[in-house]
Amino acid sequence: MEIRSRAEVLQDTIAILEEYFADQDLEAVISEATRFLGDLGCESLEVVIIANSTQARYGRPFPFNDFFAAVGEREDGDATVGEWVDFVCSHLERGLGD
């Protein structure tokens, strides 16, 4: 798959989240500032499912364990959609070997 722009990855990520939460009545509008735990109310299993959907979308694995470990060290243990997009973009730019 071709390398996507950050705007395209953001659009893809929002689409993945909207599809995942389609049957729920979300009060939050999903944007870069949306927090996975605080705004979407994600539980750990849900974040793993979203990570798997992201990997399927791009046809490659991402080292989400690194992302989750870094977020887990924070006091609030939460991440924004924008941070997720930055992580995905950084690994798309590195190529399939990383």
Side-chain angles (χ1 to χ4, degrees):
M1 171 171 273
E2 66 193 53
I3 294 176
R4 314 271 294 175
S5 72
R6 187 181 188 287
E8 290 171 317
V9 174
L10 176 60
Q11 184 177 11
D12 290 346
T13 301
I14 290 172
I16 289 167
L17 291 168
E18 287 176 341
E19 182 177 325
Y20 182 79
F21 290 106
D23 62 343
Q24 299 178 30
D25 189 21
L26 281 182
E27 293 183 19
V29 174
I30 301 173
S31 70
E32 283 194 61
T34 302
R35 295 170 300 139
F36 280 88
L37 304 178
D39 297 320
L40 298 176
C42 286
E43 296 187 17
S44 58
L45 178 60
E46 291 175 309
V47 177
V48 170
I49 292 168
I50 294 164
N52 287 338
S53 295
T54 301
Q55 292 177 135
R57 169 68 183 87
Y58 295 106
R60 58 159 294 175
F62 293 93
F64 280 112
N65 287 342
D66 296 345
F67 181 80
F68 299 143
V71 170
E73 291 177 5
R74 299 179 188 173
E75 189 172 320
D76 67 356
D78 207 349
T80 65
V81 169
E83 290 171 319
W84 182 279
V85 168
D86 289 341
F87 176 83
V88 170
C89 285
S90 72
H91 289 282
L92 285 174
E93 291 170 1
R94 293 179 189 172
L96 295 175
D98 293 336

